[in-house]
Amino acid sequence: MVGEMYAFKDKGNRDISLRPELTAPVMRWYLNDMTSAPKPLKLFYYGNCFRYERPQSGRYREFFQFGAEIIGAPLLAADAEIISLADACLRGAGLTGYQLRLGQIGILRGMLEKLGVPNDAWAACLHFLDKREFEELRRLLDEKGIFGEKVDALERLAGMKGGSEVLGEASKLVGDLDGLAYLKKLAGRLETMGVRGLRFDLGVVRGLDYYTGMVFEIDVPELGAEKQVCGGGSYALAEVFGGKPIESTGFAIGFDRVMLAMERQGGKAEVAGPEVYVVPVGDEAVPAAMKLLASLRAKGIAADVELMGRNISKALKYADAIRAKRAAIIGAKELADGTVTYKDMKTGEQSVVQLSLEQVKVGDALREARAAFAAHSYENAIAACGAALERLKGEGDTPETRKERVEALKLLASISMVTGAWVETLGYLEHIIDLTSSGSDPEAHLGALLQYGDILSKKGKWQLALGRFEEAEKHATRNGQGELLGRALVGKGTVQWRLGKAGEARPCAERALEFARAAGDDLLVGRALALLASTSFDLGDYDEALERNAKALESFERAGDAAEVSRVLNNMGETYCITGDFQRAVREFERSLKIAKGSGNKRNVGYALTYLASAYISNGNLIKARNCALEANEMLNGVEDPYGRAYLTLVFAQIFVSQGKLDEAFKRFEQAASEMQKLDIPYDTGTVQLAHARALSTVGDQAGARTLLKSAAKAFEAAGATAMRDITRKELEKLGGIGQ
Ligand code: HAM
C-alpha cells in the first residue's frame, strides 16, 4: 500500500499523502471521540480515496468508497453481520452473479510460522501471495533457506478454493488451526442469514497489513482484471494508533466499480418509489393534502405530493411512473367526510381512512389539545382529544395507553366544565373513575371522584355527592394522600352542612383544616374555614362566623381565588344582615361585587348584585335595590344556576312588597320557595317562607303567615340552622301560633 500512496510535496514543501482508504480515519475518530460510546459501534461512510496506481478501466487515482465498520462486538457475530451487509448492498444495487470469496489470514500466517519463515519476512511473503507473484516469493524464501516442498505446500494452501471440502484439505496441510474452525462456523451463520454463493478462498490476503482474522473479497467477473468490487475483514488498528485493542471488522465497496458492473450487466437498479403519493383533487384539497404529506413525513414514511395540479388520472400515471406504492387521494368527498382514499398502485385496491386518524399520533394530539385548551380554543381541544381517543382504540390496554386515555378524558372533563356542559363532564369523570379503579393511577382516580362530588354538590344533588366524597375519603385515607383527603373532607362536610347536619359537618371541616394546613394549601384552608364559619352561622354564633370568614378571606386572597373571595364576602354580608348591620353588609357586598366584576365571572357578579339588592331593601333604599336586582337578572341570564335565579326571585318578591305590588310579590315568593325545595336547600326554603310570612303578616293575613312560619321553622330545623329556627319560632309565638 505504501507504494500506492498518492504522496507529494505541496507548495510549502510539506510531505502530503491523500487518504487511500477510510478504515484508518474511522479508527482514529473512534479513538479520539468514541471509546466510551455504547458498544457495538456501527459506522458507515462514503467518500473519495486516492491511490497512485497506473490508471486503467476500473482502477483510478481518485475513486469512491462506501464502507461500514463494526467496533466492539464479538467477532463471529460482527463478521457475519458485515458480510451479509456487503452482500445486501450489492444485491440492492441490482448486481447478480458476483462471487464472494472468504478466507482467514491467520491460516496463511500459521503456515508461514510452521515453515519457519522469520516474522520480519511475513509481510513481504503475504504481499507476493496477494499479487500472485510466486517467482518473487520463491526467491525471497530461498534466501531464508526455505525451498522445495515447503514452498509448494504454501502455494498449494494459497491456491485452495471451493466449498467446505477446502477446510478439510487445508487442515491436512496446516493441522487443526483455529482459523479453519472459525471459517466453518462463520459460513454456517452466513447460510442462515441468507448469504448465497459463498466460496472459501484461502489465498485471500488483502493488500492492507492490518487484517488479523477473517478476510473476504467480492468479484464481479464481467469486470475483467479489476473485478473486485468489495473487500474487507477483521483487523487490529486501535493499538497501531496507541489505543486499547478492540474487535473491529468492516468492508469497503468500490463505488466506481459497482457503477461499471451495473453498466456491464445491463441491469437497472430498482429505484424505490415513495411509499405514498398524495394527490389533492382541486385547489380546495391542497391544504389538507399538504397537512397529510407533512404528517406522513413526520412519521418517517417516504411520501411525495402532486405539485403540478394535474387531473387525477394524470397524477396517478405519474405516481405509477415513479413507482409509488400507494396513492392518497383527497377530493371533494374526502374533504367533506374528513377522509383520505388510499389506492394500492399494484392491485388498484382502495380503502378509505379517517383523516384525523391518519394524521394523528396520540402524543401529538394530546399536546395539541393542551395547547388549544390553554388558548381557550375549546372546539379544537375537543377535536384533538377525540382524535387521541380514537387512535388509542386501536392501541390495546397498556399502562401507557391507559395514562393517555385518562389524560384525554381529563382534558375533555375540564373543557366541558368550562363550557358549562356538566352532564358531559360527569360522563368523562365516570369514565376516568372506571379506568383507574384498579389502582393504576390513584391520583387521577381521586381527582375525578372529588371533581364529580364537587359538581354534584353544586347542582344540589347532595346525597349522590356525599357518596362520591365518602368514596374519595376512603381512597385518600388508604393511600395516605393528605391533601386530597382534606378536599374530600371539605366536600363531605359541605354536603353534610347543606343537609342540615352542622354537627357532623364541623368535625369534618376541622380535620380538613388540619390536612390543608399541613399541605400548605391556602385554597383548601380557606374552604375549610368558610365551612366552619357556615356552621357557626347556623348555630347563631355570628361573631365566630365573621371571625372565621375573615380568616378564610385571607387564605383565599393568598390563593388568589377571586370567586372564593367574593363568596366569603357575600357570606360576611349575609351575617351582617342578620345582625342588622346593613351598612356593613352593603360594604361587604360591594367589595364582593368589585372583585367579581374584576374577575369577569358573570355568575359571581350576579350573586353579589342579588345580595346587594337584598341589603338595600333592608336599608330602605328601594331604587338602588331595584337597579341591582335588574342588573343581577341580566348577569344571571344565560348562566345555568337555578339557585342564583331562585334567590333573585326572592329579592324581586321583596321589592314588590316594598312597592306594594303584593300579588306580584306573593307569586314570586311561591315560585322561589318551590325552586328552593326542588333544589333541596332547606335553609333557603326557610328564608323564602319567612320573608313571605312577614309580607303576609303586614297585609293582615295572620293565618297564612302562621302556616308559612311553621314551614319555615321546620325547614330551618332540617337545615340545622338552629338560630334561624329560633327566630322564626319567636315570630310565630308573637302571631299567636305555637312556637314548638
Ligand atoms: P480495499 O480492498 O483496498 O479495502 O478497497 C475496497 C474497494 O475499493 C476495492 O474492492 C475496490 O472495489 C475499490 N478500489 C480500491 N482501489 C481502487 C482504485 N484505484 N480505483 C477504483 N476502485 C478501487 C479497503 O480499502 C479497506 N479499507 C476495506 C475495509 C474496511 N476493511 C475493513 N474495513
Side-chain angles (χ1 to χ4, degrees), residues 182-310:
Y182 184 85
L183 281 185
K184 197 172 171 195
K185 268 195 253 167
L186 181 57
R189 272 217 181 201
L190 287 168
E191 171 94 37
T192 58
M193 290 171 91
V195 177
R196 301 281 173 260
L198 179 145
R199 317 268 292 159
F200 294 107
D201 181 349
L202 302 188
V204 177
V205 176
R206 313 279 302 120
L208 298 146
D209 289 342
Y210 49 63
Y211 294 103
T212 45
M214 173 282 287
V215 278
F216 76 102
E217 288 173 350
I218 303 178
D219 302 332
V220 173
E222 286 92 331
L223 288 181
E226 305 303 330
K227 61 183 180 190
Q228 197 200 113
V229 292
C230 174
S234 62
Y235 52 90
L237 258 180
E239 48 270 61
V240 175
F241 299 129
K244 266 200 220 145
I246 185 159
E247 299 105 324
S248 354
T249 185
F251 70 81
I253 287 176
F255 218 76
D256 313 74
R257 290 186 188 174
V258 168
M259 304 279 273
L260 276 179
M262 285 166 72
E263 263 174 46
R264 299 267 160 91
Q265 292 195 347
K268 268 196 201 138
E270 278 274 307
V271 178
E275 199 65 36
V276 181
Y277 188 71
V278 181
V279 183
V281 185
D283 288 347
E284 321 74 70
V286 169
M290 291 302 169
K291 222 171 156 189
L292 174 63
L293 178 77
S295 82
L296 289 169
R297 286 178 175 169
K299 281 184 216 158
I301 296 171
D304 201 349
V305 71
E306 168 64 22
L307 294 176
M308 311 289 281
R310 287 175 284 218

Side-chain angles (χ1 to χ4, degrees), residues 32 50 136 181 232 262 271 279 349 356 369 377 452-453 473 489 496 507 614 625 657 669 686 709 732:
N32 275 340
F50 304 84
E136 306 287 326
M262 285 166 72
V271 178
V279 183
E349 231 170 78
S356 57
S377 172
Y452 203 110
E473 182 189 355
L489 288 169
Q496 285 171 329
S614 89
V657 170
F669 279 130
L709 285 173
L732 187 57

Side-chain angles (χ1 to χ4, degrees), residues 17-38:
S17 291
L18 301 180
R19 63 189 189 192
E21 57 105 51
L22 285 154
T23 306
V26 164
M27 241 16 229
R28 279 200 209 95
W29 180 31
Y30 157 71
L31 290 169
N32 275 340
D33 297 322
M34 288 182 286
T35 46
S36 48

